[in-house]
Amino acid sequence: MTFRNSIVLTISCLLLATACPAAEYLSPIAVVADGQILYVAESTASRVDIVDVAGGKVSGSISLDRNPTGLALSPDKKTLFVTADGPDSSVHLVDIGKKKVSGSIDVGHTPMSPVATPDGKRLFVCNRFDNDISVIDLDKKTVTKRIPVTREPVAAVLNLDGSTLFVANHLPKGAANVDRMTSVIDVIDTATLKVISSIPLPNGAIDLRGMSLSTDGKHVYVPSIFARFLVPTTQIARGWINTHALNIIDANAKKLLWTVLLDDVALGAANPWGVTSSADGKTICVSHAATHEVSLIDTEALLKKLEPIPARATAGLTIPEYESLPENPANSLSFLTGIRRRVKLPGNGPRGVAVVGDQLAVTQFFSDSIALVSLKPGESGIQSIALGPEQEMDTVRKGQMFFEDASLCFQQWQSCSTCHPDVRTDAVNWDLLNDGIGNPKSTKSLLNAHKTPPVMITGIREKAEVAVRAGIRYIQFAMPEEEKASSIDAFLSSVKPIPSPYLVKGKLSKAAERGEKHFKKTGCILCHAGPYLTDMEKYDVNTTDGMEKGKELDTPTLIEVWRTAPYLYDGRAPTMLDVVTTFNKDDRHGLTSKLSAEQLAELAEYVLSL
Ligand code: HEC
Ligand code: HEC
């Protein structure tokens, strides 16, 4: 489009208010540095921008056919690996000299966090929704192996010699009606390409996003949410519901050493996301997505303070004993006082971080900008580089920003997305106040909540709009402002399901096709009916006990249930097969007892394909 045409279009769309092109948000999510150059993954604009830090501006960009999710540089700095969003996706190889995609390699569903080995021969990619890691031979440009991991791998790092890959799993796995739920770090031996151990984080450490290796290679840093999911959500001060942590793993022993809280006594540091270390190793940098800050932690002072405290791996105590030790830093909201700077950023929604010279670069998702924070001792300079033209946010975008913002919450302890990461579920149970105390419920995904009233598994709220305002009032302990609440409604209503990883080229597998017949025959379709697979009515399908015994529950939607295990009102069913077998002994939840083992598996596969 010529300049003149674009002015004409802008003027006419302002007058007519209909033909305006939709705003293009960039949503920078990941960043890597090469000298004074930054490569920035624009997660909603199908491109990588190149930022010249010294010049303070975008100096070029690389267009892609899909939205980028993660980046890595090859050790010789000649190739940029860019993972692209979506099912059956790929990793693009970008020729840095030509600033062009020179090839791509098919990987899995929603690939992210590419990591190249130090010899430049192999690349590892996390396939978030296939729950595995693709191993790529970079000479042959082919995938040589897929290694299954625990659940939703979102970040990976290699140790210094490249012999061990650490993989951060976003969510915990297993039933939720239990006392212990944690995300794990899977440890892969890169010679045998096998998972050699899974390191459980402390109870409630979930929602992992980022991970990094310390500059000296001794430690792996993993920020997490630290959910206190065993207590009723009656109050919020002093991190009663959710706190936030940095988990420190011994990279040689491959064991968890300590977990340190990132919050302050009366001020949460919600939703830590990216983590890295300064080039000299003196500062650990963590971004806080929901409070628009970074934590700059003095590494030496931290390790000195931790030294006399028994580490979890060597304390000789059981995990519960260790977790209740008074000197365990995971129990202290003032542990970092005096050895960490909390720096407020100029923008909104920090995510990925990278060190460029003696500055920290932080992607600011909602402001479409990069914040640059000085890491020099005694300096507190902060700059911001715009990645695109400034533009008004529409209601949906604002709603997403408020949904992910802990400033709506008393003392910034949590955003809606703390328990509903990516609008879905944190996979743990919470004892919310809307239906009394002592009856924890599995966190529901909010996909289609506005289209399938009533809401909450008991149907206690007439519609999602009511639950949104109640959430701000009773979970965030704040006064709902109508403008913010209604934009959250608009955002939640706009969220679309992601295609299931069980689909084969977008279609039901043969087994799932047979499963669809069982779904009809066994009567599932009677209640799980219509476009959202719920008739929006309540039934007692004999899944309940305790305080809920015999209560009728609201038929949940089955769209995207592949993503939201564990199942049933209190997360008692770890898998789909458990829903139709272990927890349906008397056929009150569909006539499944007559199905063979194979037919049950087909039924489960169909439901997991929705
Ligand atoms: C402490 C964790 C937590 C936080 C924070 C939280 N929620 Fe929830 N949310 C839950 C749980 C648990 C459920 C399911 C409860 C049930 O079924 O009884 C739920 C259910 C919902 C539902 C009903 C979904 C449906 O289809 O039935 C809506 C809507 C909702 N939440 C919106 C929000 C909003 C908006 C915020 C932020 C203001 C928020 N939540 C913050 C835990 C949380
Ligand atoms: C009589 C109505 C009814 C029938 C028939 C029925 N369901 Fe359900 N379904 C429900 C209700 C009510 C719940 C909520 C139960 C709970 O949370 O404990 C539910 C929950 C589920 C869940 C859990 C979803 C989640 O997000 O936790 C799955 C999966 C499911 N049903 C699948 C099936 C399948 C498969 C069949 C057929 C074999 C079936 N249902 C038959 C009413 C029904």
Side-chain angles (χ1 to χ4, degrees):
M1 190 185 306
T2 63
F3 178 64
R4 193 164 164 270
N5 283 351
S6 93
I7 289 195
V8 171
L9 183 69
T10 310
I11 293 173
S12 63
C13 88
L14 287 175
L15 293 175
L16 301 171
T18 48
C20 296
E24 187 189 53
Y25 304 114
L26 308 178
S27 319
I29 197 155
V31 57
V32 291
D34 179 12
Q36 285 291 305
I37 296 292
L38 294 174
Y39 297 95
V40 183
E42 309 287 19
S43 73
T44 53
S46 303
R47 66 172 202 252
V48 170
D49 279 331
I50 306 169
V51 176
D52 164 9
V53 172
K57 61 174 196 315
V58 176
S59 62
S61 68
I62 299 151
S63 349
L64 308 166
D65 56 354
R66 289 189 183 199
N67 288 324
T69 53
L71 310 162
L73 274 171
S74 62
D76 64 7
K77 312 277 174 81
K78 286 187 182 153
T79 311
L80 181 71
F81 304 108
V82 186
T83 47
D85 203 9
D88 300 325
S89 197
S90 52
V91 52
H92 295 304
L93 312 180
V94 174
D95 181 324
I96 298 255
K98 296 192 181 128
K99 300 196 176 79
K100 274 214 165 74
V101 176
S102 62
S104 67
I105 300 162
D106 290 346
V107 283
H109 196 320
T110 312
M112 51 209 304
S113 193
V115 187
T117 49
D119 60 9
K121 289 196 179 306
R122 282 197 292 189
L123 186 76
F124 298 98
V125 172
C126 298
N127 298 309
R128 179 169 179 187
F129 295 127
D130 281 334
N131 302 319
D132 63 12
I133 307 295
S134 290
V135 184
I136 295 168
D137 178 327
L138 285 171
D139 290 330
K140 296 195 185 123
K141 302 205 169 29
T142 51
V143 174
T144 56
K145 190 161 180 189
R146 305 234 339 214
I147 310 169
V149 291
T150 303
R151 183 175 185 186
E152 292 192 27
V154 288
V157 293
L158 279 167
N159 65 349
L160 281 187
D161 66 12
S163 60
T164 309
L165 184 77
F166 295 89
V167 177
N169 291 283
H170 180 60
L171 289 181
K173 192 173 171 176
N177 60 342
V178 294
D179 288 346
R180 297 196 68 79
M181 280 299 264
T182 106
S183 286
V184 301
I185 307 301
D186 287 320
V187 183
I188 293 173
D189 177 330
T190 58
T192 60
L193 298 180
K194 290 213 164 85
V195 175
I196 50 173
S197 67
S198 294
I199 308 171
L201 297 180
N203 199 15
I206 56 170
D207 286 8
L208 310 193
R209 298 283 186 182
M211 175 157 62
S212 75
L213 187 71
S214 63
T215 312
D216 62 11
K218 285 188 182 156
H219 298 123
V220 175
Y221 301 127
V222 194
S224 72
I225 285 170
F226 204 23
R228 315 278 167 159
F229 64 91
L230 293 174
V231 297
T233 61
T234 46
Q235 52 160 314
I236 196 163
R238 287 198 281 156
W240 181 259
I241 302 178
N242 276 302
T243 50
H244 308 89
L246 183 68
N247 301 284
I248 304 174
I249 288 169
D250 183 324
N252 285 324
K254 305 169 184 70
K255 296 230 157 86
L256 177 65
L257 294 174
W258 301 280
T259 294
V260 176
L261 291 189
L262 293 163
D263 312 278
D264 283 296
V265 176
L267 193 66
N271 303 7
W273 190 294
V275 60
T276 189
S277 299
S278 59
D280 60 10
K282 287 190 173 152
T283 312
I284 305 168
C285 317
V286 181
S287 66
H288 298 278
T291 59
H292 325 300
E293 294 169 293
V294 287
S295 280
L296 303 180
I297 304 165
D298 178 335
T299 316
E300 211 179 282
L302 174 68
L303 293 177
K304 202 162 154 219
K305 201 162 175 185
L306 287 169
E307 207 180 76
I309 300 174
R312 173 154 128 187
T314 52
L317 300 171
T318 64
I319 291 174
E321 275 169 0
Y322 182 76
E323 285 177 2
S324 54
L325 265 191
E327 61 267 43
N328 177 355
N331 297 326
S332 166
L333 280 168
S334 53
F335 194 80
L336 290 181
T337 307
I339 59 174
R340 174 269 299 266
R341 260 196 315 138
R342 282 179 77 158
V343 180
K344 196 85 191 159
L345 298 176
N348 189 300
R351 298 275 194 276
V353 288
V355 167
V356 43
D358 46 20
Q359 299 186 90
L360 177 72
V362 192
T363 66
Q364 304 192 101
F365 188 92
F366 291 105
S367 343
D368 289 346
S369 61
I370 294 286
L372 291 167
V373 180
S374 173
L375 295 173
K376 277 197 206 148
E379 268 193 24
S380 54
I382 307 174
Q383 290 173 51
S384 189
I385 301 179
L387 295 165
E390 210 172 299
Q391 52 191 349
E392 264 289 295
M393 284 190 211
D394 62 18
T395 316
V396 167
R397 177 85 168 171
K398 276 189 198 153
Q400 182 179 2
M401 183 176 75
F402 296 134
F403 187 81
E404 300 193 8
D405 193 348
S407 354
L408 265 68
C409 177
F410 177 69
Q411 292 182 349
Q412 295 191 165
W413 288 105
Q414 61 200 5
S415 64
C416 306
S417 61
T418 306
C419 298
H420 298 286
D422 305 303
V423 183
R424 275 68 177 195
T425 172
D426 54 5
V428 300
N429 282 354
W430 289 101
D431 196 357
L432 302 187
L433 301 184
N434 56 42
D435 54 359
I437 292 182
N439 48 2
K441 302 273 159 31
S442 169
T443 304
K444 290 187 80 181
S445 166
L446 306 185
L447 178 70
N448 295 326
H450 283 72
K451 290 157 194 143
T452 58
V455 299
M456 304 294 170
I457 192 67
T458 50
I460 202 161
R461 304 267 184 226
E462 165 207 346
K463 51 184 183 171
E465 286 81 351
V466 177
V468 166
R469 285 145 188 82
I472 299 172
R473 194 183 293 268
Y474 301 112
I475 311 180
Q476 296 194 310
F477 294 81
M479 287 301 290
E481 290 170 43
E482 188 43 39
E483 192 223 324
K484 291 184 178 169
S486 57
S487 45
I488 291 177
D489 290 331
F491 164 60
L492 294 178
S493 308
S494 78
V495 178
K496 300 270 178 305
I498 288 179
S500 165
Y502 289 83
L503 296 175
V504 180
K505 298 206 169 80
K507 297 220 165 69
L508 290 182
S509 69
K510 289 277 170 279
E513 274 178 5
R514 291 191 289 275
E516 185 174 15
K517 295 199 181 113
H518 311 319
F519 190 79
K520 289 178 181 151
K521 249 203 196 136
T522 56
C524 315
I525 193 90
L526 296 175
C527 307
H528 296 286
Y532 302 108
L533 298 162
T534 164
D535 59 1
M536 305 184 218
E537 299 291 338
K538 289 176 24 170
Y539 303 95
D540 172 12
V541 290
N542 202 22
T543 48
T544 49
D545 59 21
M547 277 175 72
E548 307 301 322
K549 181 94 196 137
K551 275 200 192 147
E552 293 192 331
L553 300 176
D554 177 41
T555 307
T557 168
L558 298 182
I559 304 289
E560 223 193 51
V561 275
W562 58 267
R563 187 171 173 178
T564 53
Y567 306 110
L568 303 176
Y569 75 107
D570 62 352
R572 58 181 53 202
T575 68
M576 192 55 71
L577 208 51
D578 291 316
V579 174
V580 291
T581 56
T582 325
F583 298 103
N584 187 30
K585 292 270 186 249
D586 58 1
D587 278 349
R588 281 177 62 187
H589 190 194
L591 300 167
T592 52
S593 64
K594 298 266 164 4
L595 298 184
S596 67
E598 195 184 350
Q599 289 170 325
L600 287 163
E602 290 164 351
L603 173 63
E605 178 147 340
Y606 170 67
V607 180
L608 290 169
S609 304
L610 294 168

